Amino acid sequence: AQSVTQPDIHITVSEGASLELRCNYSYGATPYLFWYVQSPGQGLQLLLKYFSGDTLVQGIKGFEAEFKRSQSSFNLRKPSVHWSDAAEYFCAVGEGGGADGLTFGKGTHLIIQP
Amino acid sequence: DVKVTQSSRYLVKRTGEKVFLECVQDMDHENMFWYRQDPGLGLRLIYFSYDVKMKEKGDIPEGYSVSREKKERFSLILESASTNQTSMYLCASSQTRNTIYFGEGSWLTVV
């Protein structure tokens, strides 16, 4: 069965500092990988996705993620965070990108310090 | 832009009531999903549908049912609401082998 682990429940970063959110997955075939962001009281917004090809994926809001098959990881990065990046971040894995839904990690809560 | 609309954002229902959560998508997507989200547990798939009148159980279907009479609409039904179904419910849709898009969520409180 597929699974996703986000090892950090909470992360605190100073505004302007760099960010890396970790995601490890377990999946039998080539995974389709996603990062979503959720602001308080809102639904999930897609940040970026990896289906195939270049393992470094660029997303919206200045985020990027790197797929590393050897480490079963898909970590999310941003070189300089803004206060508006404070939110919950979810990593997800699926087969075919949606035919039978996605398996989500439990999320990482990002706190931005002034 | 893809639009997934959940008509009720906030609901308060009594134990034992029948509850309908409605979801509509405007992109002619084949697949639709219902998740529930709870603190510390992330998102868990309740049911999904890959075609009209088709449904498949997700990871936590107990206590729920669904209806998909039209391609654009996917309803989640709580036949007899219980307090442990107090949660945020997220609807989503996708075209197969593509991105899943989410609605803004429905907060359900069962008292």
Side-chain angles (χ1 to χ4, degrees):
Chain A
Q2 59 202 45
S3 66
V4 177
T5 301
Q6 293 180 247
D8 304 305
I9 298 173
H10 301 276
I11 281 188
T12 301
V13 178
S14 298
E15 190 169 15
S18 64
L19 171 71
E20 183 170 30
L21 301 182
R22 294 183 292 166
C23 172
N24 293 97
Y25 66 90
S26 173
Y27 196 73
T30 300
Y32 288 65
L33 294 159
F34 304 81
W35 275 100
Y36 287 86
V37 61
Q38 185 180 37
S39 298
Q42 301 298 314
L44 274 68
Q45 181 183 20
L46 179 71
L47 283 176
L48 48 77
K49 61 188 178 186
Y50 171 79
F51 284 1
S52 64
D54 192 347
T55 56
L56 185 61
V57 182
Q58 301 298 320
I60 63 171
K61 305 185 180 186
F63 285 92
E64 66 178 26
E66 187 171 11
F67 170 57
K68 293 185 177 180
R69 185 187 299 274
S70 61
Q71 297 177 19
S72 297
S73 69
F74 189 57
N75 293 349
L76 182 71
R77 301 193 293 249
K78 186 170 184 177
S80 176
V81 298
H82 187 262
W83 64 265
S84 60
D85 293 324
E88 193 85 15
Y89 291 80
F90 291 94
C91 182
V93 65
E95 178 182 7
D100 57 354
L102 297 176
T103 298
F104 283 82
K106 294 185 178 180
T108 297
H109 185 58
L110 177 62
I111 300 166
I112 306 296
Q113 280 184 337
Chain B
D1 278 356
V2 175
K3 188 81 172 170
V4 180
T5 303
Q6 295 182 233
S7 53
S8 301
R9 291 297 312 277
Y10 303 95
L11 305 94
V12 180
K13 298 292 182 181
R14 296 190 182 278
T15 300
E17 273 194 81
K18 190 169 185 177
V19 181
F20 291 86
L21 299 180
E22 304 289 344
C23 175
V24 177
Q25 51 95 1
D26 66 355
M27 288 302 293
D28 201 36
H29 283 170
E30 300 163 352
N31 310 306
M32 296 190 74
F33 310 87
W34 276 105
Y35 289 86
R36 68 175 279 177
Q37 183 180 13
D38 301 287
L41 297 178
L43 279 78
R44 293 177 291 168
L45 183 63
I46 304 172
Y47 268 97
F48 65 99
S49 167
Y50 53 87
D51 201 353
V52 175
K53 298 192 185 294
M54 304 300 290
K55 59 183 179 183
E56 294 288 340
K57 293 180 180 179
D59 299 320
I60 52 163
E62 295 78 19
Y64 303 94
S65 62
V66 290
S67 172
R68 194 170 182 197
E69 296 296 319
K70 293 184 178 181
K71 190 175 186 179
E72 68 270 20
R73 187 179 299 271
F74 193 38
S75 303
L76 181 70
I77 304 158
L78 287 67
E79 293 288 343
S80 178
S82 64
T83 55
N84 63 12
Q85 293 178 309
T86 291
S87 187
M88 180 171 181
Y89 291 87
L90 288 162
C91 177
S93 74
S94 78
Q95 199 72 338
T96 298
R97 302 188 183 282
N98 213 317
T99 303
I100 290 183
Y101 295 91
F102 284 84
E104 292 198 337
S106 298
W107 289 94
L108 172 66
T109 301
V110 182
V111 298

